[in-house]
Amino acid sequence: MKESLSRIGRTGLLLQRVPSLVLLFLVCLLVADAIGRLLGRPITGSYELTQYGFALIVSFSVAYAGLTGSHLVIDIVFVRLPRPLARLVSFLSLALSAALFGLVSFRLFVDGIEAFRLKERSSTLGLPIFLFMLVLALGFALLVTALVTRLMKREEGRL
Amino acid sequence: MTIGLYGFILLFVLILFFRIPIGFAMILVGVSGMAYLTSPVSAISFLGHQVFATAASYDMAMVAMFILMGELAFVTGIGERAYGSLLRILGRIRGSLAMATIGGCAAFAAVCGSSPATAATIGSIALPEMRRYGYDDALATGAVAAGGTLGILIPPSLGFILFGIITEQSIAKLYLAGILPGILLALLFMSVAYVYALFRRPACLAEPTTIGEKIASLKGLLDVIVLFLVVVGGMGLGLFTPTAAGAVGTGGVLLIACMRRRVTLQRLMEALEHTISTVGMIVMIFVGAMAFNYFLAATTLPFRLGGAIAGLPIPRMATIVCILLVWLALGCVMDAIGMIVLTLPIVYPIVLSLGFDPIWFSVLGVIMVEAGLVTPPVGMNLYVISGIARDVPIGTIFRGVIPYVAAILVCVFLLVLFPEIALFLPEAVRR
């Protein structure tokens, strides 16, 4: 783990630690809620906390998976391509993915602003939904950054 | 309908030739298709909504819980204890080490939903033992690679979560449906190991054990039995939601790890790191599957295809056999998860239109995923075992696993003949 973290640096550490802590919190919350339910005393709002807590986990984990190259690919054809063509294909793939998630990030940001304007809140705890949308938008922006970083490293490697 | 076909072709081009991650490619094609059918603005708006709905989902949180449970089980030594117990129980039966390996895999699968993790956990202990007792490499590696596949069939299973979320079925029912086929397949694998060992020299015999030792060794299976009953039993009886059951299982494994002093902060962080990375990958696949499914549904392709196939003058079962053969072939060249996610949008409506039980079909699908995990050239478990037994040529592992693939096909055949094997428990609990 130390090796992989030193490779991906402080951003990677942040992307890994924040969702890890949220996940541990959710495990504790859900266990406490399950026990509470058996005793007839469930924790109010545990459903919403899990829902939006998971949104925080996803925000960071998609970027973390992008940074560590963990997204699932099928390379049975790719590995047989001639080297220059493989480079071009790899460049196009990363560029296309970065553009797509740039769009997703932008859309989530717009939706977040709209939720803020409409003062949208969760039904039980009254959590401000726009915050989670903006964090998710940030997560996808980080994914774009991770993809662009990999793209640049590839190009540097070529030079 | 034609646009749906073009979408499929484009998807395969992006995945195979451009090496775009499966989830990314499905989003790209799904959104482009929706933009073509409606408008670019509404397609992007739909995508934003879909991403947030998947991320802020209570049900999706179950994925993280069960992955973490498996990751923690990996470091607690639950697998080693179960394997040791089964070895003592089987004693001097021929092939007992290989059978204990498969039994250990089945036991570990009851607390871990990942096949490669199951193969790696049991393989790292069982392979050196089997080789010490003179097992040939093909028998030893084949038993671990095949036994590891039980991880995705015996609940809690990531395969069933995948099927459940994509096809909108009850995860609890799917888990219950996986129990008996999982036990059946484990027994079939053990029979293969026994027969394999009968014809091998040296005799593949382990140390003899007394009846007292056998009874005492049952203690090593206690963790697995308790965790399995709490998680799957609690879910089946409606005491917990699947997400809460995953958290309770994770809490249980963590508690066992702390009691045995098997967990350090570093190990916990490693388990969390793997979980976070896998969650990121799986969520993107789910978002992609949703976007692509939505696009396909808008083209009406799956329904028309389903109607056309239902109208063909061939027996219903022939269609199922064709689907299973296609999955078997695809499993040889594609990652098992990718294979299911890519084909399910077309296949599932066909199965429904033919009137088959979706729970039964999902069990068959997960078993075909298992076959994909051990069929060359891309069977993930084969490479996990190759990583543990570095001096064993991959060809030997391929050879060793062939009889177990035959056992998987026998299991499928039995499930086709007797769907009750899968449907008995969900129906019994419903009653």
Side-chain angles (χ1 to χ4, degrees):
Chain A
M1 182 181 74
K2 273 180 189 162
E3 193 193 324
S4 69
L5 285 181
S6 64
R7 207 171 56 231
I8 58 183
R10 283 187 185 176
T11 317
L13 201 64
L14 175 85
L15 294 178
Q16 184 217 329
R17 292 280 156 88
V18 174
S20 296
L21 292 174
V22 177
L23 181 54
L24 274 184
F25 166 73
L26 289 188
V27 170
C28 297
L29 172 78
L30 284 165
V31 171
D33 183 52
I35 296 169
R37 272 176 204 280
L38 292 176
L39 301 172
R41 291 185 142 187
I43 297 172
T44 311
S46 66
Y47 187 94
E48 277 182 6
L49 284 172
T50 307
Q51 215 181 340
Y52 294 110
F54 188 64
L56 290 180
I57 293 172
V58 170
S59 305
F60 291 92
S61 66
V62 287
Y64 185 66
L67 203 63
T68 51
S70 308
H71 287 292
L72 189 64
V73 291
I74 296 172
D75 49 14
I76 45 169
V77 175
F78 183 81
V79 291
R80 286 169 178 79
L81 293 178
R83 219 175 153 77
L85 185 61
R87 259 185 214 290
L88 177 69
V89 162
S90 181
F91 175 85
L92 286 175
S93 156
L94 283 169
L96 206 58
S97 302
L100 172 71
F101 292 114
L103 211 58
V104 172
S105 176
F106 170 72
R107 187 65 231 180
L108 283 166
F109 179 76
V110 171
D111 286 351
I113 298 295
E114 185 68 4
F116 173 73
R117 205 177 56 78
L118 296 171
K119 295 190 173 66
E120 277 184 38
R121 285 179 178 274
S122 66
S123 52
T124 312
L125 297 174
L127 300 171
I129 289 173
F130 82 93
L131 262 181
F132 299 99
M133 286 185 161
L134 292 183
V135 174
L136 201 56
L138 174 72
F140 276 92
L142 286 170
L143 174 61
V144 173
T145 314
L147 293 170
V148 171
T149 308
R150 282 176 55 197
L151 196 72
M152 283 162 63
K153 276 188 182 163
R154 217 164 271 252
E155 286 305 291
E156 275 171 24
R158 192 173 66 91
L159 291 170
Chain B
M1 193 171 94
T2 324
I3 183 75
L5 279 177
Y6 289 148
F8 245 105
I9 293 165
L10 180 62
L11 181 65
F12 277 93
V13 168
L14 288 175
I15 288 172
L16 293 177
F17 292 92
F18 281 74
R19 200 172 164 256
I20 292 187
I22 293 176
F24 296 11
M26 289 181 108
I27 296 176
L28 203 60
V29 176
V31 169
S32 308
M34 288 304 292
Y36 178 81
L37 291 173
T38 56
S39 73
V41 175
S42 61
I44 297 296
S45 170
F46 159 77
L47 179 60
H49 171 77
Q50 195 60 56
V51 168
F52 189 69
T54 309
S57 158
Y58 179 86
D59 292 335
M60 279 296 294
M62 138 180 62
V63 173
M65 299 300 158
F66 280 114
I67 292 173
L68 183 59
M69 182 180 166
E71 289 287 345
L72 287 172
F74 186 72
V75 298
T76 52
I78 289 177
E80 286 104 311
R81 282 169 63 85
Y83 168 74
S85 293
L86 287 165
L87 191 53
R88 281 188 289 279
I89 291 166
L90 290 168
R92 232 173 134 71
I93 297 173
R94 263 179 186 268
S96 60
L97 277 161
M99 288 196 279
T101 300
I102 292 160
C105 285
F108 189 71
V111 290
C112 174
S114 154
S115 286
T118 305
T121 307
I122 303 298
S124 55
I125 335 151
L127 275 177
E129 278 291 290
M130 282 194 273
R131 296 174 93 183
R132 193 159 69 86
Y133 279 93
Y135 278 59
D136 73 47
D137 289 338
L139 169 58
T141 53
V144 185
T149 64
L150 294 167
I152 205 161
L153 179 62
I154 296 176
S157 143
L158 280 180
F160 283 128
I161 295 180
L162 191 76
F163 265 87
I165 293 180
I166 294 179
T167 61
E168 296 177 352
Q169 293 180 72
S170 154
I171 305 286
K173 276 187 190 169
L174 287 173
Y175 274 6
L176 288 171
I179 295 174
L180 293 181
I183 294 170
L184 172 68
L185 192 54
L187 291 174
L188 285 171
F189 282 167
M190 287 168 109
S191 311
V192 167
Y194 178 72
V195 174
Y196 212 141
L198 272 185
F199 297 100
R200 293 281 159 178
R201 290 287 179 271
C204 301
L205 296 172
E207 301 292 334
T209 45
T210 63
I211 296 286
E213 282 173 331
K214 287 182 202 294
I215 293 169
S217 66
L218 284 171
K219 207 169 61 181
L221 291 170
L222 207 63
D223 301 339
V224 170
I225 294 171
V226 170
L227 278 170
F228 183 78
L229 286 179
V230 169
V231 173
V232 181
M235 220 185 321
L237 294 173
L239 296 175
F240 313 128
T241 62
T243 307
V248 170
T250 305
V253 175
L254 199 53
L255 188 69
I256 292 169
C258 290
M259 279 162 50
R260 300 241 160 82
R261 298 175 189 277
R262 290 294 295 256
V263 70
T264 59
L265 188 63
Q266 191 194 343
R267 280 183 164 184
L268 180 63
M269 289 315 291
E270 273 173 12
L272 285 163
E273 184 200 1
H274 289 151
T275 305
I276 294 305
S277 179
T278 312
V279 165
M281 181 265 282
I282 289 183
V283 164
M284 289 314 297
I285 290 179
F286 276 121
V287 173
M290 297 300 166
F292 190 67
N293 277 356
Y294 201 81
F295 157 64
L296 276 189
T299 66
T300 68
L301 174 72
F303 315 110
R304 288 195 193 193
L305 206 59
I309 289 175
L312 287 176
I314 54 167
R316 288 189 322 152
M317 202 50 85
T319 311
I320 292 291
V321 172
C322 287
I323 292 170
L324 296 178
L325 287 176
V326 168
W327 274 349
L328 187 65
L330 281 178
C332 295
V333 292
M334 278 178 81
D335 174 86
I337 294 177
M339 168 184 95
I340 293 299
V341 172
L342 290 175
T343 54
L344 214 48
I346 288 287
V347 163
Y348 188 63
I350 294 174
V351 171
L352 287 186
S353 66
L354 289 171
F356 287 107
D357 190 299
I359 301 268
W360 168 79
F361 179 71
S362 301
V363 174
L364 285 181
V366 169
I367 294 177
M368 294 320 287
V369 170
E370 281 193 83
L373 286 165
V374 286
T375 42
V378 294
M380 174 89 88
N381 279 18
L382 301 175
Y383 294 99
V384 170
I385 301 308
S386 177
I388 298 169
R390 289 180 189 277
D391 55 329
V392 180
I394 194 92
T396 306
I397 307 177
F398 288 166
R399 213 176 59 239
V401 98
I402 290 169
Y404 296 97
V405 175
I408 293 176
L409 297 180
V410 170
C411 183
V412 169
F413 182 69
L414 290 173
L415 271 168
V416 169
L417 278 186
F418 309 106
E420 298 78 18
I421 299 171
L423 299 176
F424 171 72
L425 278 180
E427 281 170 10
V429 170
R430 192 171 54 195
R431 278 199 293 269

